[in-house]
Amino acid sequence: MPATHPMTLAREGTTLVIVDVQDRLFPAMDADHREEVMRNIKILATAARRLRLPVLATEQYPKGLGHTLPELVETLGPEVQPVPKVNFSCWGVEEVRGRLQAAGTRRVILAGIEAHVCVLMSALDLLGAGMAVHVAADAVTSRTQANWRLGTEQLRQAGAVVSATETLVFQLLGQADTDDFREIARLIR
């Protein structure tokens, strides 16, 4: 096997974390991106399930902001129970840290909302804890495009790999001659 670049995303040790895609919060996001972001989050979740990657979802202050969108809950399946939080950073939640550590996570793919708040703060803490962080720029959003741009720029400056959903999925797949590829490729068309 040839040497890989440190920014390469491998399956082993990778967990998908979907941040705060909630029914009272998601409608406030930038209208031009909501549909694309939801589509890409579902692609990441479906690919993660197919490839047997651990998946975590969080809910920021669910009492006030509601629960994970039903269409996403359906994609995630019953084995993914969202973790409630009041910390902006997912890493600041003991249950999230415990699940990531129990799964042997060394790399995290982040998707969700908001790019410049909870996604950014989670990434900074995960990077600080020594994990590699990959952010699907087309699967995160904010209430404004300006905040989304600033959030993704700061993520990149901090050392997160900011990429596209399709790039991340194809890195996880690694090759095209598999049943996994044939199944997941149908989602991307």
Side-chain angles (χ1 to χ4, degrees):
M1 178 99 186
T4 59
H5 190 279
M7 289 173 60
T8 300
L9 183 62
R11 283 187 214 184
E12 186 179 327
T14 297
T15 297
L16 171 64
V17 177
I18 301 172
V19 181
D20 308 342
V21 183
Q22 295 163 248
D23 51 17
R24 291 190 204 136
L25 189 56
F26 195 69
M29 296 303 110
D30 179 44
D32 292 338
H33 289 124
R34 277 195 307 256
E35 187 176 318
E36 175 191 18
V37 166
M38 180 54 68
R39 177 182 178 272
N40 288 323
I41 291 171
K42 287 179 175 180
I43 288 170
L44 287 168
T46 302
R49 284 183 69 186
R50 173 75 190 198
L51 300 173
R52 294 174 193 80
L53 299 181
V55 178
L56 290 174
T58 62
E59 294 177 342
Q60 179 69 29
Y61 184 60
K63 181 179 175 184
L65 298 175
H67 294 284
T68 302
L69 287 171
E71 63 185 288
L72 182 54
V73 168
E74 183 179 322
T75 301
L76 293 172
E79 61 276 1
V80 177
Q81 296 297 312
V83 178
K85 66 184 185 67
V86 291
N87 295 63
F88 294 120
S89 169
C90 294
W91 187 251
V93 180
E94 187 176 330
E95 184 175 348
V96 172
R97 281 193 314 275
R99 287 187 190 185
L100 291 172
Q101 290 166 343
T105 303
R106 296 185 307 278
R107 285 172 298 283
V108 173
I109 299 170
L110 288 176
I113 55 179
E114 286 192 67
H116 68 295
V117 183
C118 293
V119 173
L120 174 63
M121 291 182 189
S122 297
L124 294 174
D125 284 351
L126 290 161
L127 289 162
M131 293 193 196
V133 176
H134 296 257
V135 179
D138 55 359
V140 298
T141 191
S142 294
R143 284 166 289 157
T144 68
Q145 287 186 27
N147 282 338
W148 170 82
R149 273 192 299 280
L150 287 169
T152 54
E153 287 172 19
Q154 191 172 359
L155 285 159
R156 190 174 285 114
Q157 290 168 350
V161 179
V162 179
S163 194
T165 294
E166 191 169 325
T167 302
L168 297 173
V169 169
F170 282 105
Q171 282 190 340
L172 290 169
L173 285 166
Q175 60 191 65
D177 61 345
T178 66
D179 289 338
D180 288 337
F181 171 80
R182 285 184 279 284
E183 182 69 30
I184 294 170
R186 286 187 256 175
L187 301 171
I188 296 173
R189 293 182 188 167

